[in-house]
Amino acid sequence: MKVRVRLFGAFRQGRFRDKILDLEAGITPSGVMESLGIDAGKAGIIMVNSRHASLDRALSEGDILAVFPAVGGG
Amino acid sequence: MKLTPRQIGSLEEASRGGVLHLEAARNAAADLGCSLMEVERAALSRGIWPLRLHRHEGLLSPDEQLRLLSSRVVVAGCGGIGGNAAVLLARLGIGYMVLIDPDRFQESNMNRQSFSSVRTIGRYKAEVLAEGLSGINPAADFVPVTRRLEESASCFRGADLCLDCLDSISSRKALSEICRKLEIPLIFGAVSGLCAQVAVETVGQKIFQSLYPGGSRHERDRDRPEAVFSFTAGAAAVLQAAVAMKLLTRGISRGESRGMFLDLEVPELEIIMFP
């Protein structure tokens, strides 16, 4: 299935900003991050189709997944 | 404050042209035996703008400005984000602010923190900030708190809003627990590199876990803090202040949370809706 994946901040380094990926059906945001070599523990906000979503939500064909790094400085 | 007709007459006399100059407001306060804040509130309730805030006319109604004067805001953390946010809120006319930070200014703060300078190194950030803000808004009360956040819960009582301007994920968790317990809406603010993140947790919501699903497991070392520019911290503060103005003047609905993620590298701003 095709999912549009958008990466933000430091997650873009050595990867991409915005790309349509062909992924196995039912993959979760955690699974997508693992396949991209992103440490899920460093993730902050996860968004599917412009709404916040959990790391273990099953993605569907045509979804737009956005992955933001955890931001903690002040 | 209930004014007599004579006092109203003297206030209107002091505010020629529909605006109230600071000096006239101070004289009126001395004549009436009340505080500068009471005079400015009385003036606004009659549609007379303190000159200091007059450029808000057209953006805010006198009633909305009056709400800001009557608002109590806690700023947790007086570093890069907090110092900038507090200045913006003071200029907005917020009448009462609690400024919490146990740290003193040091040389490494000078790339981004408001009021950090060769003249303030070694002094408590909260105290320096309170002094600086009282020059920006002489009618308001600024209360510096130099205790740790965990020992400052009593300072949150009666607050209308809290701004998270802290520098660690674990202290943010503690702050969100305090605010949830006391039913105070919280505006999270955080930065890293060229990215700034701001999100609103209204009463009855729990978004800390959504912002930091990994909790504080991947917290950076205190000895190796986040790299950050002055303008990134400033951008987070700007977003927080804009959200604070809207929430305080137009009311805070339960269960309506949004977040913003600003990447200044591109630049781009993403809006995040929380369920």
Side-chain angles (χ1 to χ4, degrees), chain A residues 5 7 12 17 55 58 61-62:
Chain A
V5 179
L7 302 178
R12 286 177 178 168
R17 197 174 138 191
L55 283 162
E61 171 79 31

PDB file of all heavy atoms in Angstrom, chain A residues 5 7 12 17 55 58 61-62:
ATOM      1  N   VAL A   5       4.873   9.752   3.494  1.00  0.00           N
ATOM      2  CA  VAL A   5       5.563   9.942   4.777  1.00  0.00           C
ATOM      3  C   VAL A   5       6.273  11.290   4.763  1.00  0.00           C
ATOM      4  O   VAL A   5       7.024  11.601   3.829  1.00  0.00           O
ATOM      5  CB  VAL A   5       6.584   8.802   5.028  1.00  0.00           C
ATOM      6  CG1 VAL A   5       7.320   9.027   6.350  1.00  0.00           C
ATOM      7  CG2 VAL A   5       5.872   7.452   5.048  1.00  0.00           C
ATOM      8  N   LEU A   7       8.763  13.762   7.063  1.00  0.00           N
ATOM      9  CA  LEU A   7       9.661  13.795   8.215  1.00  0.00           C
ATOM     10  C   LEU A   7       9.985  15.252   8.562  1.00  0.00           C
ATOM     11  O   LEU A   7      10.007  16.108   7.674  1.00  0.00           O
ATOM     12  CB  LEU A   7      10.948  13.030   7.907  1.00  0.00           C
ATOM     13  CG  LEU A   7      10.789  11.560   7.515  1.00  0.00           C
ATOM     14  CD1 LEU A   7      12.149  10.958   7.190  1.00  0.00           C
ATOM     15  CD2 LEU A   7      10.097  10.763   8.627  1.00  0.00           C
ATOM     16  N   ARG A  12      15.035  14.393   9.072  1.00  0.00           N
ATOM     17  CA  ARG A  12      15.249  14.543   7.626  1.00  0.00           C
ATOM     18  C   ARG A  12      16.700  14.266   7.222  1.00  0.00           C
ATOM     19  O   ARG A  12      16.960  13.947   6.066  1.00  0.00           O
ATOM     20  CB  ARG A  12      14.909  15.983   7.203  1.00  0.00           C
ATOM     21  CG  ARG A  12      13.426  16.233   7.194  1.00  0.00           C
ATOM     22  CD  ARG A  12      13.123  17.670   6.839  1.00  0.00           C
ATOM     23  NE  ARG A  12      11.687  17.863   6.790  1.00  0.00           N
ATOM     24  CZ  ARG A  12      11.096  19.032   6.726  1.00  0.00           C
ATOM     25  NH1 ARG A  12      11.807  20.130   6.712  1.00  0.00           N
ATOM     26  NH2 ARG A  12       9.788  19.114   6.686  1.00  0.00           N
ATOM     27  N   ARG A  17      12.388  14.576   3.015  1.00  0.00           N
ATOM     28  CA  ARG A  17      11.421  15.491   3.645  1.00  0.00           C
ATOM     29  C   ARG A  17      10.005  14.952   3.465  1.00  0.00           C
ATOM     30  O   ARG A  17       9.204  14.956   4.396  1.00  0.00           O
ATOM     31  CB  ARG A  17      11.575  16.843   2.957  1.00  0.00           C
ATOM     32  CG  ARG A  17      10.983  17.988   3.699  1.00  0.00           C
ATOM     33  CD  ARG A  17      11.341  19.278   2.992  1.00  0.00           C
ATOM     34  NE  ARG A  17      10.180  20.141   2.964  1.00  0.00           N
ATOM     35  CZ  ARG A  17      10.089  21.240   2.247  1.00  0.00           C
ATOM     36  NH1 ARG A  17      11.091  21.608   1.468  1.00  0.00           N
ATOM     37  NH2 ARG A  17       9.013  21.969   2.294  1.00  0.00           N
ATOM     38  N   LEU A  55       1.626   5.645  18.177  1.00  0.00           N
ATOM     39  CA  LEU A  55       2.693   4.933  17.460  1.00  0.00           C
ATOM     40  C   LEU A  55       2.245   3.579  16.927  1.00  0.00           C
ATOM     41  O   LEU A  55       2.844   3.047  15.997  1.00  0.00           O
ATOM     42  CB  LEU A  55       3.888   4.714  18.415  1.00  0.00           C
ATOM     43  CG  LEU A  55       4.786   5.925  18.682  1.00  0.00           C
ATOM     44  CD1 LEU A  55       5.613   5.701  19.934  1.00  0.00           C
ATOM     45  CD2 LEU A  55       5.703   6.170  17.491  1.00  0.00           C
ATOM     46  N   ALA A  58      -2.695   1.303  13.068  1.00  0.00           N
ATOM     47  CA  ALA A  58      -2.483   0.662  11.760  1.00  0.00           C
ATOM     48  C   ALA A  58      -2.758   1.684  10.655  1.00  0.00           C
ATOM     49  O   ALA A  58      -3.801   2.348  10.673  1.00  0.00           O
ATOM     50  CB  ALA A  58      -3.405  -0.538  11.625  1.00  0.00           C
ATOM     51  N   GLU A  61      -4.016   2.524   3.156  1.00  0.00           N
ATOM     52  CA  GLU A  61      -3.665   3.036   1.819  1.00  0.00           C
ATOM     53  C   GLU A  61      -4.026   4.530   1.716  1.00  0.00           C
ATOM     54  O   GLU A  61      -5.133   4.924   2.078  1.00  0.00           O
ATOM     55  CB  GLU A  61      -4.453   2.227   0.774  1.00  0.00           C
ATOM     56  CG  GLU A  61      -4.401   2.738  -0.644  1.00  0.00           C
ATOM     57  CD  GLU A  61      -3.108   2.366  -1.366  1.00  0.00           C
ATOM     58  OE1 GLU A  61      -2.543   1.306  -1.059  1.00  0.00           O
ATOM     59  OE2 GLU A  61      -2.663   3.149  -2.226  1.00  0.00           O
ATOM     60  N   GLY A  62      -3.085   5.321   1.249  1.00  0.00           N
ATOM     61  CA  GLY A  62      -3.356   6.739   1.017  1.00  0.00           C
ATOM     62  C   GLY A  62      -3.192   7.638   2.237  1.00  0.00           C
ATOM     63  O   GLY A  62      -3.343   8.863   2.129  1.00  0.00           O
TER      64      GLY A  62
END
